[in-house]
Structures are given as structure tokens and as C-alpha cells.
Amino acid sequence: MPSNLRIDPERLWATLLETGAIGGTAKGGINRQTLTAEDAAVRAWFKGAAEALGCTVTVDEVGNIFALRAGRQPGLAPIALGSHLDTQPTGGKFDGNLGVLGALEALRTLVTAGYETNAPIVVVNWTNEEGARFAPAMLGSGVFAGVYTRAAADAVADLEGVRFGAALDAIGWRGEAKAGAMRLSAYLELHIEQGPILEAEQKTIGIVTGVQGVRWYELNLSGRESHAGTTPMPRRADALFACARLVGDVRALALARAPTAVGTVGQVEVKPNSPNVVPGQVRMTVDLRHHEDAVLEAMEADLKAAVERAASEEKVTISLSNLHDLPAIKFHPECIAAVRGAARALGYAERDIISGAGHDAVHLSRITPSAMIFVPCKDGLSHNEAESATREDCAAGAQVLLEAALTIDAKLATGPL
Ligand SMILES: [Zn+2]
């Protein structure tokens, strides 16, 4: 049986629109990159809204904001609900915002009903999830989870050379609290799917069981520049043709493991890039993703075999280096069960789903039991000003978030998850 608490869909929608105006673009999206004046404005809005609910708002040393409502059972660590309020330069109104504002709506529902939880509930806005201005993405949650140090975060520079630490100080949102000092009992994150599966299958709720692992590679191919008119085909060492073969090989190794594997060559630089020179040098990237590390391992082995084949048959040398390796994440069984139970009890059409994108929950899952809830977005489109989700689906997501948090809260009264 679900609780009799019901979130207010209109109030949630109104906050999405109200905050969407902060950094709002002409095309209906948001440009609210991290640690800008717009980010500062939405942070102030969030703090004000949380304080109006009677929450205690604290900020940690990398600008993560925590709005805490006390629980009735002393000694229990808070249940955290959150996401991020920063956006891509041409971001939408829902990516991240739904997770923070949906959590705020859940909190408003508890306060309005006078419902006391056992554990404190803390709504979190993580700093710099997007990584659009300061790479890497998910930086604030990464420092909180101990993946990066504060010093490393402070030193990251944007394209203008402004450092993260300086930008955080400049907008006045560096807090006193040490990142990660707040112990948590669990973490739940509501998010739009950013993919097409839920919409295509007419499901309202995605029960996110894990996040794909990601491996990035850089390949440097060296052949021999030569005259396009005078070099016979058998005498060529064409780095671009070797690259083209590898583009096909990457596609094939992902298709061989369809539909769960994906492989992408997203960047190619050709030198000398002249119409009448056989290309001598190519730099290319490969992005491989799957939700099982063992499958990723096999995909990598296929890639290396393809590289050796292309090198010997095309007479080029190819070096391959690993740029980035994020292992696959499996969320906590009890948190997943709480989300699934909530979705079913509330009667929403649901399915299990793997996240194709990274989220703050990836880092949080290292330090506390975590899970995510997805709702559909139109045409699977995200990181785009046209990003769109319905009022009903946003409300369903926030309702499942509240209900799952209450399930976890009931469990915590008897012991940790
Ligand atoms: Zn996001």
C-alpha cells in the first residue's frame, strides 16, 4: 500500500517553469552553466525555498547545497534526494532540475502534511554535474564521494582559464562544511531518461538498476603522406583508410552485442587534410559502453584486434591509449526494490532500465546505497533547448521518489539498508 501523501503536480510544474526562467533562453531552454551569475541566482532561489520550509541549509567546500529537514529518530543519517541545477549551454528545463525540484516537492508534501520521517531528509543540489564549463562532469558529487580532492576540483580551469575554485569564490557559494562529512543513509535521484526507451514503450517510470560503464580511447595512426596522383594504390600507407576501417569495426563490435552495447567514433582529425595528399596522420577517439564490465572487456579485446589488423594490412602504425575508464555501476538492491515497489503500488507502467548517461548517483553509489528513477522525455531528446517532459510524468516521478524515500525511511527504523 502506498502512503496517502500526494505531491502537488501543479506546484512542481510551477517551480520547473519559475526556475526555468533563470538563464532561460529564447528557444525555451536554459543556459545556466555552473558557477555563473545564473547558477548563483538559482542557488539563492533554492536556498530561499528550502528555508521557507523550515529546512537547515548548509553548503560544503565545493558548493554542494544541502537542505535538511530533521527526522524524529535521533542518530539516523539523512536520506538524500537530489540532482543538479546547472545546465549545458543549450540545456533543457528538465535535466537535473527535475531531480532537485522533484525532491523539493516531496519535501513540501511532507511539510504540508506534517509528516515526520524517522531519518532526516536532505535535498541536495550538486555542483557542476554537467561538466560543460569545468570538466570532468559530476565534479561536486565526485568530491563528496572522495573520487576527487577539493584541491583537484579547485584547480580545474574553463576555456577562459578561470579556475573552478576562483569561480566558486567569485559567486560566493563556497561553504564551510568539508565535502563528504555528512553521512547519508541512502541516495535517490529522479531524472529524465535522456533516451527514447520509456516513451517508445509507453512506460511512465524507469527503475534504474545501474549505469553503463564507459571506456574512452585515443588512437593515433601514422601512415605516409604522398601524392594523390602519383602514388599507386598498393604503395599507399593511408592513415585515413585505416581509420575508416576502424570506424566500421567499432560499429560491428557494438552491433555484435546489440542492443545493449554501443560504440562510437566521435572525433577524427586528419593531417594534412589536403584534397590531393594521401593522409599520413589521423587522431581518432573511440567510446565504448556497456552495463557489464566483462562485456566491455571483450569489446576492448575486439577493438585491439581490429587495430592490429588495420595496422598490418594498411601498413600504418597505430597507438592506442585509454583516456577514460568508468566501470559499470550496479545500484543497491534495496534502493531499487524501494523504487520498484513504489512504482507498482502507485500503479504506474514501469520497466527496469540501465542509464546510458552518467549521473551524480554514480559517485554517490560508492559511499551510500543508491538508486535512480527515470521518467520519459519527448523523442529521447536531452542536452537540447527543446528537451521536454510532461507535467504528468514529472509528477509521477516525484511521487515515486517520495514513496521510495518513505519505504527506505521505514526500513531505517529497524537498521541500515
Ligand atoms: Zn543531469
Side-chain angles (χ1 to χ4, degrees):
M1 280 289 286
S3 72
N4 55 12
L5 296 172
R6 289 294 174 274
I7 67 108
D8 182 339
E10 296 304 324
R11 186 170 55 188
L12 171 58
W13 193 251
T15 63
L16 282 162
L17 295 186
E18 185 185 347
T19 55
I22 302 171
T25 64
K27 290 183 184 164
I30 304 179
N31 177 3
R32 199 162 63 214
Q33 293 181 65
T34 201
L35 309 187
T36 56
E38 291 77 21
D39 185 13
V42 80
R43 285 165 174 269
W45 182 96
F46 174 63
K47 181 170 190 266
E51 285 176 346
L53 286 176
C55 289
T56 307
V57 176
T58 54
V59 182
D60 75 13
E61 59 187 337
V62 288
N64 296 318
I65 309 178
F66 303 85
L68 187 128
R69 179 176 186 249
R72 66 182 165 203
Q73 195 163 311
L76 286 182
I79 299 169
L81 314 175
S83 196
H84 59 96
L85 293 171
D86 69 322
T87 76
Q88 290 285 328
T90 53
K93 282 195 287 290
F94 301 93
D95 176 0
N97 297 301
L98 177 61
V100 178
L101 301 175
L104 182 70
E105 176 55 35
L107 204 60
R108 282 174 163 166
T109 304
L110 293 172
V111 170
T112 305
Y115 185 103
E116 281 195 299
T117 49
N118 299 311
I121 303 285
V122 64
V123 177
V124 190
N125 170 42
W126 302 109
T127 299
N128 188 33
E129 192 278 341
E130 293 290 0
R133 181 178 175 200
F134 297 103
M138 309 181 293
L139 189 59
S141 56
V143 177
F144 186 86
V147 177
Y148 311 112
T149 62
R150 168 188 160 168
D154 276 348
V156 173
D158 70 8
L159 286 176
E160 265 97 61
V162 178
R163 298 206 179 269
F164 175 93
L168 180 61
D169 290 333
I171 66 161
W173 278 90
R174 185 174 321 259
E176 304 277 294
K178 180 144 182 54
M182 182 185 283
R183 297 275 146 240
L184 303 175
S185 290
Y187 176 71
L188 295 176
E189 181 167 354
L190 167 63
H191 209 281
I192 54 168
E193 180 198 342
Q194 303 182 285
I197 296 171
L198 295 176
E199 184 185 52
E201 296 187 8
Q202 297 184 302
K203 304 288 190 196
T204 306
I205 298 294
I207 300 153
V208 189
T209 56
V211 181
Q212 304 192 107
V214 185
R215 294 189 185 188
W216 276 13
Y217 309 87
E218 180 181 274
L219 280 67
N220 285 287
L221 294 71
S222 284
R224 191 176 60 248
E225 289 85 6
S226 57
H227 195 294
T230 59
T231 316
M233 300 309 284
R235 297 183 68 100
R236 294 181 177 207
D238 183 339
L240 182 57
F241 187 70
C243 165
R245 283 184 53 163
L246 288 171
V247 173
D249 291 335
V250 166
R251 184 182 167 82
L253 73 86
L255 274 173
R257 297 165 176 93
T260 49
V262 286
T264 305
V265 174
Q267 236 177 24
V268 173
E269 291 160 33
V270 185
K271 283 182 187 162
N273 206 22
S274 163
N276 55 355
V277 179
V278 176
Q281 304 291 325
V282 170
R283 177 191 165 275
M284 63 189 287
T285 58
V286 176
D287 171 316
L288 302 180
R289 303 187 190 216
H290 194 271
H291 65 276
E292 299 283 353
D293 284 326
V295 177
L296 264 180
E297 201 61 46
M299 290 166 72
E300 179 174 304
D302 282 4
L303 174 64
K304 286 180 173 166
V307 163
E308 287 197 5
R309 252 189 338 266
S312 78
E313 291 174 16
E314 302 308 327
K315 301 183 287 286
V316 299
T317 58
I318 306 178
S319 72
L320 177 147
S321 57
N322 197 312
L323 283 184
H324 192 57
D325 187 349
L326 284 180
I329 298 290
K330 293 196 189 311
F331 285 136
H332 194 276
E334 293 220 48
C335 290
I336 296 169
V339 172
R340 185 180 289 121
R344 289 185 181 165
L346 291 160
Y348 294 123
E350 40 75 19
R351 61 161 280 164
D352 285 8
I353 193 165
I354 297 282
S355 176
H359 294 287
D360 293 309
V362 167
H363 290 322
L364 269 292
S365 70
R366 297 167 62 104
I367 55 165
T368 192
S370 301
M372 292 187 74
I373 302 156
F374 277 176
V375 293
C377 57
K378 192 171 186 308
D379 301 326
L381 193 65
S382 184
H383 287 189
N384 188 305
E385 290 163 280
E387 178 185 277
S388 177
T390 68
R391 185 179 320 214
E392 293 71 28
D393 289 343
C394 290
Q399 186 66 47
V400 170
L401 178 68
L402 172 60
E403 204 62 40
L406 292 175
T407 303
I408 290 170
D409 184 58
K411 282 224 165 95
L412 289 175
T414 63
L417 293 185

